[in-house]
C-alpha cells in the first residue's frame, strides 16, 4: 500500500515563530488532506489539497503531486496551534480510504 | 448544524466481551468511514460505507464488522475483544463516496469513542 512519511516528528516553537511541516507519499494520489488533532483527540480538517496551493488565515498548504509531497505552513504560531498535525492521502487505485502518516507533534510555548 | 456525533465517548470492557460503537453523520452526508487510532499513531482505516453498502475494508480481522442504516447512521461492532483493541475509534462522514469528486472527498471526523480493554 501507499506509504506516508511526515517530518519532523516533533517540533517545538516559541509563540510568533513560523514553521513548515512536510508530507511525502510513495504513489500517485487523488485525495490529500491535512488534519490537526487537539489534545482531546478531536481531528479537525485543515485543507483538502490533492494539488495546488490554498491559504486559510495563518495556515497555507501546497501539494506538488508530480513530486509526491505536500507542505503545511504555519505562520505567527499561537499556543492554540499545539497538537498533532496529520497528513492523509487517498491513493488513486484505492480511493475508498485515507492512509495517515504518523504525524508531527507541534508544541508552541508562550 | 450538528457535526458528526459518536457514542459512547468512553467505555471500558474486559477481554472477550463485545462492543458496539455508534455514529451519526452530518445531515446530508451519505458516506461513513471508521478509523482506529492507537496511542502515538495515525488513524488506521477500518471500513467505509456509502448508501448502506460496504465500499472498502481495511486490514482488520473478521471480529470487526459494521453496518449503515437507512438514515445513514452507522454502527461498528467488535467481538471477542483483545487488549490490543484498546484505542480511539473515529467515525468520519463525507458527502459522497471517496474519490467521486472534490466536494465528496472532504472527511469530517467525530470526537471519537475511547475504548479501554482490560
Amino acid at each position: 500500500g501507499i506509504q506516508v512519511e511526515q517530518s519532523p516528528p516533533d517540533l517545538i516553537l516559541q509563540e510568533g515563530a513560523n514553521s513548515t511541516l512536510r508530507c511525502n507519499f510513495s504513489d500517485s494520489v487523488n485525495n490529500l488532506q491535512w488534519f490537526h488533532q487537539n489534545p482531546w483527540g478531536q481531528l479537525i480538517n485543515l485543507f483538502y489539497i490533492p494539488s495546488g496551493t490554498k491559504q486559510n488565515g495563518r495556515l497555507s498548504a501546497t501539494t506538488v503531486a508530480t513530486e509526491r509531497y505536500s507542505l503545511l505552513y504555519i505562520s505567527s504560531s499561537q499556543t492554540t496551534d499545539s497538537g498533532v498535525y496529520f497528513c492523509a492521502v487517498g491513493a488513486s487505485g484505492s480511493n475508498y480510504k485515507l492512509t495517515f502518516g504518523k504525524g508531527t507533534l507541534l508544541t508552541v510555548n508562550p | 448544524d450538528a457535526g458528526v456525533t459518536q457514542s459512547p465517548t468512553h467505555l471500558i470492557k474486559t477481554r472477550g466481551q463485545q462492543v458496539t460503537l455508534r455514529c451519526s453523520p452530518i445531515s446530508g452526508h451519505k458516506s461513513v468511514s471508521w478509523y482506529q487510532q492507537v496511542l502515538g499513531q495515525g488513524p488506521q482505516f477500518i471500513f467505509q460505507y456509502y448508501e448502506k453498502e460496504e465500499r472498502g475494508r481495511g486490514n482488520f480481522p473478521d471480529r470487526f464488522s459494521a453496518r449503515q442504516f437507512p438514515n445513514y447512521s452507522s454502527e461498528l461492532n467488535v467481538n471477542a475483544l483483545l487488549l490490543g483493541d484498546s484505542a480511539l475509534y473515529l467515525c468520519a462522514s463525507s458527502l459522497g463516496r471517496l474519490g467521486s469528486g472534490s466536494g465528496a472527498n472532504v472527511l469530517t471526523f467525530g470526537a471519537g469513542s475511547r475504548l479501554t480493554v482490560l
Side-chain angles (χ1 to χ4, degrees):
Chain A
I2 193 168
Q3 305 296 313
V4 182
E5 292 185 4
Q6 292 187 242
S7 60
D10 300 276
L11 186 58
I12 300 174
L13 301 173
Q14 288 299 121
E15 205 167 21
N18 302 327
S19 61
T20 301
L21 282 57
R22 186 177 180 101
C23 171
N24 293 331
F25 42 94
S26 62
D27 206 346
S28 60
V29 300
N30 62 6
N31 190 346
L32 190 147
Q33 297 178 41
W34 283 96
F35 295 91
H36 174 222
Q37 189 166 43
N38 65 24
W40 297 271
Q42 178 73 57
L43 270 171
I44 304 296
N45 187 292
L46 299 174
F47 293 103
Y48 167 77
I49 187 165
S51 63
T53 298
K54 289 186 178 179
Q55 181 158 7
N56 184 4
R58 297 182 295 104
L59 273 59
S60 64
T62 295
T63 297
V64 184
T66 53
E67 297 187 21
R68 299 181 183 170
Y69 74 88
S70 183
L71 302 174
L72 178 68
Y73 305 96
I74 305 173
S75 64
S76 304
S77 58
Q78 301 175 358
T79 56
T80 52
D81 295 331
S82 296
V84 182
Y85 289 80
F86 288 104
C87 168
V89 303
S92 300
S94 54
N95 55 17
Y96 54 85
K97 68 177 182 179
L98 290 185
T99 299
F100 282 73
K102 292 186 176 181
T104 292
L105 175 59
L106 175 65
T107 303
V108 181
N109 292 320
Chain B
D1 192 20
V4 179
T5 57
Q6 292 188 242
S7 63
T9 55
H10 296 81
L11 68 165
I12 300 173
K13 294 285 188 178
T14 57
R15 282 177 295 176
Q17 286 189 311
Q18 175 264 342
V19 67
T20 298
L21 307 177
R22 296 176 176 83
C23 173
S24 293
I26 291 172
S27 177
H29 284 196
K30 297 182 177 180
S31 178
V32 169
S33 300
W34 288 95
Y35 287 78
Q36 180 197 64
Q37 186 179 22
V38 299
L39 202 59
Q41 300 293 319
Q44 200 169 2
F45 173 78
I46 310 176
F47 288 109
Q48 189 205 13
Y49 276 79
Y50 175 69
E51 289 282 15
K52 302 180 289 295
E53 291 190 15
E54 181 184 305
R55 292 298 184 178
R57 183 187 181 107
N59 188 23
F60 281 80
D62 291 343
R63 299 185 295 108
F64 289 76
S65 64
R67 55 180 175 169
Q68 187 177 30
F69 299 99
N71 66 353
Y72 302 109
S73 67
S74 177
E75 287 183 351
L76 174 69
N77 295 285
V78 187
N79 293 323
L81 286 167
L82 304 174
L83 296 180
D85 294 331
S86 295
L88 179 66
Y89 288 85
L90 294 161
C91 172
S93 77
S94 58
L95 274 170
R97 178 178 162 191
L98 289 190
S100 55
S102 61
N105 282 340
V106 177
L107 288 186
T108 301
F109 280 87
S113 294
R114 191 169 297 278
L115 171 65
T116 302
V117 182
L118 302 177

